Amino acid sequence: MQIGIVGKPNVGKSTFFAAATMAPAEIANYPFTTIHANKGIAYIRTPCPCKELGIKCNPNNSACNDGIRSVPVELLDVAGLVPDAWQGKGLGNQFLDDLRQADALINVIDVSGSTDLEGNPGKPGDHDPRDDIIFLRKEIEFWIREILKNGFNKIARQTKMQGDKIETAVHNRLMGLNITEAQIKQALRDVSPPEDPTKWDDDTLLSIAVRLRELSKPMLIAMNKADIAPNGNIEKVKELGDKAIVTMSESELALKKANAAGLIRYAPGDKAFTISNAEKLNDNQKRALDRISEKIKEHNGTGVQACLEAAAFGMLDLIAVYPVEDENKFTDHHDRVLPDAILLPRGSTARELAYRVHTELGEKFIRAVNARTKRTVGADHILEDGDIIKIMSGR
């Protein structure tokens, strides 16, 4: 599961990425600081079954703090996008290629309006942040259209002559973008293009690309630099109707660093922090923490963790499932209790979980056991959030 961090240059994408993952990323106040994509692991929170079951877990791939699991997700911070990137302007081709496997996108914008569409710095209020959202959607949609358009006339003629399904041909063309055939079928139903694909023009292909972007690359808006945004900017962005969350990634990064240094107590997603080592803080640090404290109270947190969880649980509708080998002790072969939390799309089956654990388990799947109820379930059994599942396979 991969979430792409996208946006124009110089809006704080790399700061957001660093704050979410604590992975190193080059950060500077000029366009195209990021040249190559940064990859890192962030964590999203979900209730752990340990508290409900009254047992102590031994997490392997995720931490558990007082019954709350922090489950890993992969983040990808890509190069900044500028207008006409789909035609190769700026680092457009590289940016868009980096996005191929993303399941969802967090579009980081400068809600203060202090950077223009090219990412050049200015003063808060100089630029309308709504333009950052509109142009980025357009760039991705035109990119998808151009990939589909390349050689489409030949595909359309062959499909018409041979009586093949057009959705299969489109899927074969777009497979590298992590777009499923089911999403293509849905897009075609929604757009209702001419039955004869040889009559699909550029506008038809663009309409299909727009719907495919919505289905395969759902987008959330991170309204970054909210702490310096002029009055009204946040409200203007929310009027667009996109899911938008106020963020202050610089504050999140500062709080995580201060927590790691033992100066404060803070956990991602907290709405406040406490100072634990005031004597080690100089006057500048105290003033900076006072200002951050005031802003996160005003905006109900820094928003970074909220963005990650809204993307994972809201847009992608993920659930957490716990595979085990002993359905009575809830352990793996190392006797670790509830060792791994695996994120899957809601509606996933027991066999799909088996494949996620190991390809061979999926291929040789026989049945599974719901460890809570001790009932045997089949390959097509639909999993629920928080399920604990034992997978049984042939040798």
Side-chain angles (χ1 to χ4, degrees), residues 27-151:
I27 299 168
N29 188 32
Y30 53 83
F32 299 118
T33 306
T34 301
I35 302 298
H36 303 290
N38 298 308
K39 287 186 178 181
I41 300 297
Y43 294 87
I44 56 176
R45 301 165 300 173
T46 187
C48 178
C50 67
K51 206 158 191 178
E52 174 194 343
L53 297 171
I55 58 178
K56 181 176 175 55
C57 61
N58 307 106
N60 177 46
N61 78 332
S62 49
C64 183
N65 182 22
D66 194 27
I68 300 296
R69 273 293 172 112
S70 294
V71 188
V73 293
E74 185 177 37
L75 295 191
L76 181 71
D77 168 35
V78 301
L81 192 67
V82 295
D84 295 326
W86 66 277
Q87 294 179 316
K89 186 176 178 182
L91 298 176
N93 291 330
Q94 176 180 317
F95 165 93
L96 293 165
D97 281 343
D98 285 338
L99 282 184
R100 287 176 177 269
Q101 294 304 308
D103 298 286
L105 304 175
I106 296 177
N107 179 12
V108 180
I109 69 167
D110 176 0
V111 77
S112 76
S114 60
T115 47
D116 65 18
L117 273 179
E118 302 284 343
N120 299 303
K123 295 181 296 184
D126 282 352
H127 176 72
D128 188 338
R130 291 174 295 188
D131 293 344
D132 298 356
I133 301 167
I134 294 166
F135 105 84
L136 191 132
R137 287 189 307 212
K138 171 189 168 185
E139 296 302 325
I140 295 175
E141 289 158 4
F142 272 78
W143 169 60
I144 294 174
R145 187 194 69 174
E146 291 307 294
I147 294 172
L148 180 56
K149 182 179 171 182
N150 185 18

